[in-house]
Amino acid sequence: MTVQITAGEFHAADGVEDWRCLYHVVSAYFRTGSLTKGIAFVDEIGRLAGGAEQQYVNVDLRHVGVTVSLLSRDVALARRISAAARDLDIPADPTAVQLVNVTLDALVGADVLPFWRALLGYRQIDDDDYLADPARRGPGFGLQPMDAGRPQRNRMHLDVAVPHDQAEARIAAALAAGGRLVSDAHAPKWWVLADVEGNEACVATWVGR
């Protein structure tokens, strides 16, 4: 795997308009409209991705569409996959791209991470307080440090990573559905929202990371 370029460098490249950076991955969603067409598209992706590249290509095939995620910001491969989609008359829909993480606030991450790693059957990413599903099916699980315990406040929340150009629309939809803005102090890196009972979630983008 080559040296990872930044999210900004990826988005500045030509021919990657279908793709969006979400945390450590780059994703695109293609509306196939049928399982048959989706299988043909996935088969083509298998031919396009070389042996070394296939280890960091993740494909989710459903009857109406295909989500492709690259664990490396590989501009050349992203271009080839988009070109294959166009040849098959399969449109991309960047608004359907997202990545969900579960985040737990912890006083001492090293004390609680082994429990969650064993419980979920996940693997730890390097030395970070972050766990990932080895089968790449479930959401990521991360720890966020806190200075003092909060027994009367939720300590687990969802982080929803969305395309940087879709964040405002997603936030507006959540607010219109009864939510409220808790904090935009870290925007556009992330916004903290809450439902009517105070349960929190963050909408995040790559910008500022």
Side-chain angles (χ1 to χ4, degrees), residues 73-150:
R73 300 185 185 110
D74 190 329
V75 170
L77 180 56
R79 287 172 177 159
R80 294 200 301 272
I81 293 173
S82 287
R86 288 192 297 272
D87 290 343
L88 293 170
D89 195 26
I90 299 173
D93 182 2
T95 67
V97 175
Q98 70 174 21
L99 181 65
V100 176
N101 283 332
V102 177
T103 304
L104 175 69
D105 295 342
L107 289 170
V108 183
D111 290 347
V112 301
L113 195 67
F115 168 82
W116 291 101
R117 183 173 62 236
L119 181 69
L120 296 170
Y122 277 17
R123 61 183 176 87
Q124 188 168 352
I125 303 298
D126 299 324
D127 295 325
D128 296 334
D129 290 340
Y130 185 82
L131 304 175
D133 181 356
R136 302 179 186 175
R137 294 173 302 191
F141 183 92
L143 299 180
Q144 181 170 280
M146 62 179 180
D147 298 327
R150 297 192 301 268

Side-chain angles (χ1 to χ4, degrees), residues 11-175:
H11 279 294
D14 293 328
V16 295
E17 293 78 11
D18 297 339
W19 300 79
R20 296 295 185 273
C21 291
L22 304 173
Y23 294 141
H24 58 288
V25 304
V26 182
S27 291
Y29 181 80
F30 299 92
R31 294 198 178 278
T32 58
S34 72
L35 191 61
T36 300
K37 203 166 187 178
I39 290 171
F41 181 43
V42 171
D43 187 51
E44 185 62 24
I45 293 172
R47 284 194 289 269
L48 289 172
E53 295 172 321
Q54 290 186 3
Q55 64 182 313
Y56 59 88
V57 178
N58 189 27
V59 176
D60 185 300
L61 169 65
R62 304 300 169 106
H63 73 283
V64 294
V66 174
T67 301
V68 186
S69 298
L70 307 179
L71 299 184
S72 175
R73 300 185 185 110
D74 190 329
V75 170
L77 180 56
R79 287 172 177 159
R80 294 200 301 272
I81 293 173
S82 287
R86 288 192 297 272
D87 290 343
L88 293 170
D89 195 26
I90 299 173
D93 182 2
T95 67
V97 175
Q98 70 174 21
L99 181 65
V100 176
N101 283 332
V102 177
T103 304
L104 175 69
D105 295 342
L107 289 170
V108 183
D111 290 347
V112 301
L113 195 67
F115 168 82
W116 291 101
R117 183 173 62 236
L119 181 69
L120 296 170
Y122 277 17
R123 61 183 176 87
Q124 188 168 352
I125 303 298
D126 299 324
D127 295 325
D128 296 334
D129 290 340
Y130 185 82
L131 304 175
D133 181 356
R136 302 179 186 175
R137 294 173 302 191
F141 183 92
L143 299 180
Q144 181 170 280
M146 62 179 180
D147 298 327
R150 297 192 301 268
Q152 300 303 318
R153 179 182 169 212
N154 59 302
R155 289 173 55 180
M156 185 175 290
H157 67 273
L158 294 181
D159 286 326
V160 183
V162 301
H164 61 285
D165 52 359
Q166 299 296 321
E168 290 186 5
R170 184 65 65 92
I171 292 167
L175 297 179

